[in-house]
Amino acid sequence: MTVFRVPGEFRRAQSAIAALFCLLGFQYATWAARLPALKTRLDLTEEELGLLLMACGAGAAASFPLVAVLMRRLGSRRLAFVSALCLGALLMALSVAPNYPVALLVICLDGVAVGCLNVAMNAQGAALEARYQRAAMSQLHATFSAGSLAAALLASGTNLVTSAVTAHFTVATVLLVLLLAYAQPRLLTDEEPRPREAKKKERRRGLALPSALTLWMGCAMAFGTVTEGAMNDWSALYLEDVVKAPEHLVPMGIAVVSVVMVLARLMADGWRERWGDALIVRLGSALAGTGLALALLVGGVLPTLLGFACVGLGVAAVTPCVYVAAAARGPEALALVAAMGTTGLLAGPALIGFVAGATSLVWGMAVVAASALAVSLCATRIRWTTPDAAPVAAAKQGVAAEQGVAAD
């Protein structure tokens, strides 16, 4: 593969792919922020609302076979465009859904589109790193959180003007289209194999079972998303029921994990270039599991928040690194790993609830710590693809040299 080393082209493609990550976070958080209004308008019970939430994840998890085929047929660039358009259309469809069955169908289709865009944008991110020999995936994942934050702020601001869901979702859809219009012309072009080679590969891939390496990557992703999802869903309850934290400190569990994770993702690409993905994932997940386990043993508000911070810091780079490794194995591996990650995100909080109900929430959170440690174990079986520090440094020196020649 030809390696390009033009900083301007790298930044241009990076900003476009970041727009896709932001778009996905923004779209998901937009309808999630209006669940109370949708619950009221559709007259839903708590059980129906829970099923509505599960439908999105189920659609994303079930999209694996479709995503693998579409990635081969369309490529990541076109699949990203089509799935992002579908997400905008589905947001508008949800705003006018006349009843619960229709809303359930829309959310399930939304999950399928989420699964498609998730794989396509991560394939773009991995291609960006491979083409320019520069780490970027962690920062891209940080923009997903930025999109979620922007959606929450828009929802809050819109509520000050009108409570109408249709008006809110219309504004949100316009913003989604603008993000997509910015991103599409700047996305990386997929490298097309020759027709005969493509057909032969497609026949072989259609019959092939996932390799052991792909399954190890999928397990690492699943355990990592179990850890992330459970911390978001159970940290506040743990502070309230087990630690007996003051009421004003109860939301700090989610805040600490989220803030530390975003900051770590903004810096993690530099760590990856210096130490490599393997070390970052192994030590990071070990830090997350050990820190949380110690917090559970010691107890108290401050040790608990420090343990939560260890989780945010330790797992921040796990999913970006695993996505890069999976993308190097091809679209089928990437689609399967993404589906297993979604499954972990869905099953994790429910598993913690089951364990907590049978024993206590302390043991439930112990499962979260064990999941983080399991990521470290899985990471020892994965073939990591991040360039060593020396080649990266050489690439940067080449950029500097080219800039110096241009200046002369």
Side-chain angles (χ1 to χ4, degrees), residues 103-124:
L104 199 63
L105 175 62
V106 170
I107 289 296
C108 186
L109 292 175
D110 186 89
V112 174
V114 166
C116 291
L117 181 55
N118 185 38
V119 170
M121 69 187 190
N122 277 288
Q124 282 275 314

Side-chain angles (χ1 to χ4, degrees), residues 352-377:
I352 306 310
F354 176 78
V355 173
T359 55
S360 70
L361 189 51
V362 174
W363 283 106
M365 295 298 283
V367 173
V368 181
S371 296
L373 293 173
V375 174
S376 186
L377 176 63

